[in-house]
Amino acid sequence: MDMNAREMQSILEEVSLENLKQNLNRLSDFHTRHSKSPLLNDASDWIINKLKGLGYKNTFYHFFKSTIDNKEFELRNVICKKKGIDDKTIMICAHYDCIMNRKEDSNSRAPGANDNGSGVSAIIEIARVLAKENLRHSIQFVFFSGEEQGLLGSKAYAKYFKESGMDLYRLINLDMIGNPFFSPNTVIIERDNNTDIKHNHVKENDIESIEFGEVMKDVTSTVGLQFHLDSIYDSDYEPFEARGYVVIGVYDGSADAIKNPHYHSSSDLPENIDWSYLTSVTKLVLATVLKMDSINSH
Ligand SMILES: [Zn+2]
């Protein structure tokens, strides 16, 4: 189970820029992935079939009901479980829905390439690479719906997760990892150290989150990235943090409606993705998972 640097490097090299591109292009081909659009179900079907095609049999929808703009919708998270030697679970998650500047607009073209086709594409590629690896810990690859409508999917799944008594060891959330507009080649590692109670409900999990961030930080140079340390903010890790779990996030820093013209717009297209950066961040997440898995084998 011990993993040396060379073994890790050879696994990281399997991450394919071409696959990342294909996954992301496919997701952006849906006219929209707005949570009110029936097209989002088609996107979830595509994700689930993709995972099953990689050999993951324990892959299923987690259904939940939510009200959006005064109407009730049945939404779906996609869950894919990889059994390890133990039940301690590392969750790698991303939202697969998207949105326009007008929150209720479910008809306009909304390609959501960076937000968050990038995160979804990366997790599918990580799942592909890990399919043949035997890990100590169990993994859940999770794709949330309704994020842009108020973290609906992650709230529903965090509740279900806690109530089912599953053992969540660590969580990594990927939300916008396709273009570091404002600081080239730099990844933002988000830890649970926010001073605002609204974004840091539980204090007891902070230290482990910061330590987990250090593990990720220490592998950034291995994948050729610079890092910036920041805090979790407004994404799917928050409902898990609020239930006491240890979470971090990766992010490119481009969620700025004023400075980034593509944010939540019809121009959030694959042509604006920095493919080499996306490949590096995908490797970073994979390396962090491998590292966590081997640290605990001692
Ligand atoms: Zn997002």
PDB file of all heavy atoms in Angstrom, residues 198-217:
ATOM      1  N   LYS A 198     -21.355  32.195   8.933  1.00  0.00           N
ATOM      2  CA  LYS A 198     -22.204  31.765   7.820  1.00  0.00           C
ATOM      3  C   LYS A 198     -21.475  30.748   6.932  1.00  0.00           C
ATOM      4  O   LYS A 198     -22.088  29.913   6.277  1.00  0.00           O
ATOM      5  CB  LYS A 198     -22.596  33.002   6.997  1.00  0.00           C
ATOM      6  CG  LYS A 198     -23.695  32.776   5.987  1.00  0.00           C
ATOM      7  CD  LYS A 198     -24.164  34.109   5.391  1.00  0.00           C
ATOM      8  CE  LYS A 198     -25.051  33.892   4.174  1.00  0.00           C
ATOM      9  NZ  LYS A 198     -24.270  33.551   2.964  1.00  0.00           N
ATOM     10  N   HIS A 199     -20.156  30.842   6.892  1.00  0.00           N
ATOM     11  CA  HIS A 199     -19.376  29.928   6.061  1.00  0.00           C
ATOM     12  C   HIS A 199     -18.485  29.010   6.894  1.00  0.00           C
ATOM     13  O   HIS A 199     -17.587  28.367   6.360  1.00  0.00           O
ATOM     14  CB  HIS A 199     -18.528  30.720   5.059  1.00  0.00           C
ATOM     15  CG  HIS A 199     -19.365  31.530   4.121  1.00  0.00           C
ATOM     16  ND1 HIS A 199     -20.070  30.980   3.084  1.00  0.00           N
ATOM     17  CD2 HIS A 199     -19.655  32.856   4.109  1.00  0.00           C
ATOM     18  CE1 HIS A 199     -20.747  31.930   2.449  1.00  0.00           C
ATOM     19  NE2 HIS A 199     -20.513  33.079   3.047  1.00  0.00           N
ATOM     20  N   ASN A 200     -18.694  29.008   8.189  1.00  0.00           N
ATOM     21  CA  ASN A 200     -17.938  28.104   9.071  1.00  0.00           C
ATOM     22  C   ASN A 200     -18.787  27.793  10.295  1.00  0.00           C
ATOM     23  O   ASN A 200     -18.641  28.399  11.339  1.00  0.00           O
ATOM     24  CB  ASN A 200     -16.602  28.752   9.469  1.00  0.00           C
ATOM     25  CG  ASN A 200     -15.691  27.781  10.206  1.00  0.00           C
ATOM     26  OD1 ASN A 200     -16.100  26.671  10.551  1.00  0.00           O
ATOM     27  ND2 ASN A 200     -14.465  28.203  10.449  1.00  0.00           N
ATOM     28  N   HIS A 201     -19.673  26.814  10.115  1.00  0.00           N
ATOM     29  CA  HIS A 201     -20.649  26.498  11.170  1.00  0.00           C
ATOM     30  C   HIS A 201     -20.016  25.779  12.350  1.00  0.00           C
ATOM     31  O   HIS A 201     -20.419  25.963  13.482  1.00  0.00           O
ATOM     32  CB  HIS A 201     -21.773  25.624  10.597  1.00  0.00           C
ATOM     33  CG  HIS A 201     -22.689  26.377   9.694  1.00  0.00           C
ATOM     34  ND1 HIS A 201     -22.397  26.610   8.378  1.00  0.00           N
ATOM     35  CD2 HIS A 201     -23.893  26.962   9.927  1.00  0.00           C
ATOM     36  CE1 HIS A 201     -23.388  27.307   7.833  1.00  0.00           C
ATOM     37  NE2 HIS A 201     -24.303  27.532   8.751  1.00  0.00           N
ATOM     38  N   VAL A 202     -19.049  24.898  12.045  1.00  0.00           N
ATOM     39  CA  VAL A 202     -18.465  24.044  13.075  1.00  0.00           C
ATOM     40  C   VAL A 202     -16.988  24.375  13.201  1.00  0.00           C
ATOM     41  O   VAL A 202     -16.288  24.479  12.188  1.00  0.00           O
ATOM     42  CB  VAL A 202     -18.646  22.549  12.675  1.00  0.00           C
ATOM     43  CG1 VAL A 202     -17.991  21.629  13.681  1.00  0.00           C
ATOM     44  CG2 VAL A 202     -20.128  22.212  12.514  1.00  0.00           C
ATOM     45  N   LYS A 203     -16.509  24.557  14.413  1.00  0.00           N
ATOM     46  CA  LYS A 203     -15.090  24.909  14.621  1.00  0.00           C
ATOM     47  C   LYS A 203     -14.194  23.677  14.764  1.00  0.00           C
ATOM     48  O   LYS A 203     -13.004  23.717  14.448  1.00  0.00           O
ATOM     49  CB  LYS A 203     -14.950  25.781  15.885  1.00  0.00           C
ATOM     50  CG  LYS A 203     -15.492  27.204  15.708  1.00  0.00           C
ATOM     51  CD  LYS A 203     -14.554  28.050  14.857  1.00  0.00           C
ATOM     52  CE  LYS A 203     -15.203  29.392  14.508  1.00  0.00           C
ATOM     53  NZ  LYS A 203     -14.577  30.006  13.319  1.00  0.00           N
ATOM     54  N   GLU A 204     -14.785  22.572  15.254  1.00  0.00           N
ATOM     55  CA  GLU A 204     -13.991  21.383  15.601  1.00  0.00           C
ATOM     56  C   GLU A 204     -13.319  20.737  14.390  1.00  0.00           C
ATOM     57  O   GLU A 204     -12.363  19.988  14.530  1.00  0.00           O
ATOM     58  CB  GLU A 204     -14.864  20.334  16.307  1.00  0.00           C
ATOM     59  CG  GLU A 204     -15.306  20.715  17.715  1.00  0.00           C
ATOM     60  CD  GLU A 204     -16.338  21.848  17.743  1.00  0.00           C
ATOM     61  OE1 GLU A 204     -17.126  21.969  16.781  1.00  0.00           O
ATOM     62  OE2 GLU A 204     -16.326  22.631  18.705  1.00  0.00           O
ATOM     63  N   ASN A 205     -13.870  20.986  13.193  1.00  0.00           N
ATOM     64  CA  ASN A 205     -13.297  20.342  11.999  1.00  0.00           C
ATOM     65  C   ASN A 205     -12.273  21.235  11.277  1.00  0.00           C
ATOM     66  O   ASN A 205     -11.723  20.860  10.255  1.00  0.00           O
ATOM     67  CB  ASN A 205     -14.415  19.923  11.022  1.00  0.00           C
ATOM     68  CG  ASN A 205     -15.371  21.071  10.717  1.00  0.00           C
ATOM     69  OD1 ASN A 205     -15.144  22.205  11.146  1.00  0.00           O
ATOM     70  ND2 ASN A 205     -16.431  20.783   9.981  1.00  0.00           N
ATOM     71  N   ASP A 206     -12.005  22.412  11.811  1.00  0.00           N
ATOM     72  CA  ASP A 206     -11.147  23.377  11.101  1.00  0.00           C
ATOM     73  C   ASP A 206      -9.691  22.919  10.981  1.00  0.00           C
ATOM     74  O   ASP A 206      -9.088  23.015   9.906  1.00  0.00           O
ATOM     75  CB  ASP A 206     -11.176  24.749  11.794  1.00  0.00           C
ATOM     76  CG  ASP A 206     -12.537  25.435  11.688  1.00  0.00           C
ATOM     77  OD1 ASP A 206     -13.502  24.763  11.271  1.00  0.00           O
ATOM     78  OD2 ASP A 206     -12.638  26.625  12.025  1.00  0.00           O
ATOM     79  N   ILE A 207      -9.139  22.424  12.092  1.00  0.00           N
ATOM     80  CA  ILE A 207      -7.715  22.079  12.087  1.00  0.00           C
ATOM     81  C   ILE A 207      -7.418  20.957  11.088  1.00  0.00           C
ATOM     82  O   ILE A 207      -6.460  21.032  10.319  1.00  0.00           O
ATOM     83  CB  ILE A 207      -7.240  21.693  13.517  1.00  0.00           C
ATOM     84  CG1 ILE A 207      -7.195  22.960  14.382  1.00  0.00           C
ATOM     85  CG2 ILE A 207      -5.860  21.025  13.485  1.00  0.00           C
ATOM     86  CD1 ILE A 207      -6.976  22.696  15.860  1.00  0.00           C
ATOM     87  N   GLU A 208      -8.311  19.938  11.075  1.00  0.00           N
ATOM     88  CA  GLU A 208      -8.094  18.833  10.135  1.00  0.00           C
ATOM     89  C   GLU A 208      -8.234  19.291   8.683  1.00  0.00           C
ATOM     90  O   GLU A 208      -7.542  18.797   7.795  1.00  0.00           O
ATOM     91  CB  GLU A 208      -9.071  17.697  10.427  1.00  0.00           C
ATOM     92  CG  GLU A 208      -8.680  16.900  11.658  1.00  0.00           C
ATOM     93  CD  GLU A 208      -9.792  15.975  12.102  1.00  0.00           C
ATOM     94  OE1 GLU A 208     -10.925  16.468  12.324  1.00  0.00           O
ATOM     95  OE2 GLU A 208      -9.524  14.769  12.202  1.00  0.00           O
ATOM     96  N   SER A 209      -9.119  20.255   8.457  1.00  0.00           N
ATOM     97  CA  SER A 209      -9.274  20.797   7.106  1.00  0.00           C
ATOM     98  C   SER A 209      -7.996  21.533   6.681  1.00  0.00           C
ATOM     99  O   SER A 209      -7.521  21.390   5.547  1.00  0.00           O
ATOM    100  CB  SER A 209     -10.471  21.740   7.051  1.00  0.00           C
ATOM    101  OG  SER A 209     -10.446  22.497   5.860  1.00  0.00           O
ATOM    102  N   ILE A 210      -7.438  22.305   7.599  1.00  0.00           N
ATOM    103  CA  ILE A 210      -6.207  23.046   7.295  1.00  0.00           C
ATOM    104  C   ILE A 210      -5.053  22.065   7.031  1.00  0.00           C
ATOM    105  O   ILE A 210      -4.278  22.233   6.086  1.00  0.00           O
ATOM    106  CB  ILE A 210      -5.888  24.042   8.432  1.00  0.00           C
ATOM    107  CG1 ILE A 210      -6.931  25.184   8.392  1.00  0.00           C
ATOM    108  CG2 ILE A 210      -4.468  24.605   8.309  1.00  0.00           C
ATOM    109  CD1 ILE A 210      -7.053  25.946   9.684  1.00  0.00           C
ATOM    110  N   GLU A 211      -4.995  20.982   7.823  1.00  0.00           N
ATOM    111  CA  GLU A 211      -3.968  19.956   7.600  1.00  0.00           C
ATOM    112  C   GLU A 211      -4.163  19.254   6.261  1.00  0.00           C
ATOM    113  O   GLU A 211      -3.193  18.964   5.552  1.00  0.00           O
ATOM    114  CB  GLU A 211      -4.011  18.917   8.735  1.00  0.00           C
ATOM    115  CG  GLU A 211      -3.430  19.457  10.036  1.00  0.00           C
ATOM    116  CD  GLU A 211      -3.680  18.524  11.224  1.00  0.00           C
ATOM    117  OE1 GLU A 211      -4.346  17.484  11.042  1.00  0.00           O
ATOM    118  OE2 GLU A 211      -3.200  18.859  12.314  1.00  0.00           O
ATOM    119  N   PHE A 212      -5.420  19.013   5.922  1.00  0.00           N
ATOM    120  CA  PHE A 212      -5.735  18.382   4.628  1.00  0.00           C
ATOM    121  C   PHE A 212      -5.293  19.311   3.492  1.00  0.00           C
ATOM    122  O   PHE A 212      -4.710  18.869   2.496  1.00  0.00           O
ATOM    123  CB  PHE A 212      -7.243  18.109   4.574  1.00  0.00           C
ATOM    124  CG  PHE A 212      -7.698  17.285   3.401  1.00  0.00           C
ATOM    125  CD1 PHE A 212      -6.833  16.458   2.701  1.00  0.00           C
ATOM    126  CD2 PHE A 212      -9.041  17.326   3.005  1.00  0.00           C
ATOM    127  CE1 PHE A 212      -7.277  15.702   1.623  1.00  0.00           C
ATOM    128  CE2 PHE A 212      -9.491  16.577   1.936  1.00  0.00           C
ATOM    129  CZ  PHE A 212      -8.608  15.768   1.239  1.00  0.00           C
ATOM    130  N   GLY A 213      -5.531  20.602   3.664  1.00  0.00           N
ATOM    131  CA  GLY A 213      -5.072  21.592   2.691  1.00  0.00           C
ATOM    132  C   GLY A 213      -3.561  21.574   2.520  1.00  0.00           C
ATOM    133  O   GLY A 213      -3.043  21.757   1.416  1.00  0.00           O
ATOM    134  N   GLU A 214      -2.849  21.316   3.627  1.00  0.00           N
ATOM    135  CA  GLU A 214      -1.380  21.228   3.567  1.00  0.00           C
ATOM    136  C   GLU A 214      -0.933  20.032   2.724  1.00  0.00           C
ATOM    137  O   GLU A 214       0.046  20.119   1.988  1.00  0.00           O
ATOM    138  CB  GLU A 214      -0.785  21.109   4.986  1.00  0.00           C
ATOM    139  CG  GLU A 214      -0.928  22.369   5.830  1.00  0.00           C
ATOM    140  CD  GLU A 214      -0.127  23.539   5.270  1.00  0.00           C
ATOM    141  OE1 GLU A 214       1.087  23.391   5.021  1.00  0.00           O
ATOM    142  OE2 GLU A 214      -0.729  24.615   5.068  1.00  0.00           O
ATOM    143  N   VAL A 215      -1.670  18.921   2.867  1.00  0.00           N
ATOM    144  CA  VAL A 215      -1.350  17.726   2.065  1.00  0.00           C
ATOM    145  C   VAL A 215      -1.466  18.075   0.577  1.00  0.00           C
ATOM    146  O   VAL A 215      -0.597  17.752  -0.228  1.00  0.00           O
ATOM    147  CB  VAL A 215      -2.290  16.538   2.417  1.00  0.00           C
ATOM    148  CG1 VAL A 215      -2.077  15.370   1.459  1.00  0.00           C
ATOM    149  CG2 VAL A 215      -2.081  16.109   3.855  1.00  0.00           C
ATOM    150  N   MET A 216      -2.536  18.775   0.233  1.00  0.00           N
ATOM    151  CA  MET A 216      -2.722  19.184  -1.165  1.00  0.00           C
ATOM    152  C   MET A 216      -1.644  20.184  -1.582  1.00  0.00           C
ATOM    153  O   MET A 216      -1.036  20.061  -2.653  1.00  0.00           O
ATOM    154  CB  MET A 216      -4.112  19.782  -1.371  1.00  0.00           C
ATOM    155  CG  MET A 216      -4.346  20.248  -2.798  1.00  0.00           C
ATOM    156  SD  MET A 216      -6.040  20.788  -3.105  1.00  0.00           S
ATOM    157  CE  MET A 216      -6.829  19.250  -3.559  1.00  0.00           C
ATOM    158  N   LYS A 217      -1.380  21.134  -0.726  1.00  0.00           N
ATOM    159  CA  LYS A 217      -0.357  22.154  -0.998  1.00  0.00           C
ATOM    160  C   LYS A 217       0.986  21.511  -1.319  1.00  0.00           C
ATOM    161  O   LYS A 217       1.680  21.915  -2.248  1.00  0.00           O
ATOM    162  CB  LYS A 217      -0.224  23.063   0.233  1.00  0.00           C
ATOM    163  CG  LYS A 217       0.588  24.309   0.020  1.00  0.00           C
ATOM    164  CD  LYS A 217       0.923  24.980   1.339  1.00  0.00           C
ATOM    165  CE  LYS A 217       2.262  24.460   1.857  1.00  0.00           C
ATOM    166  NZ  LYS A 217       2.674  25.135   3.113  1.00  0.00           N
TER     167      LYS A 217
END
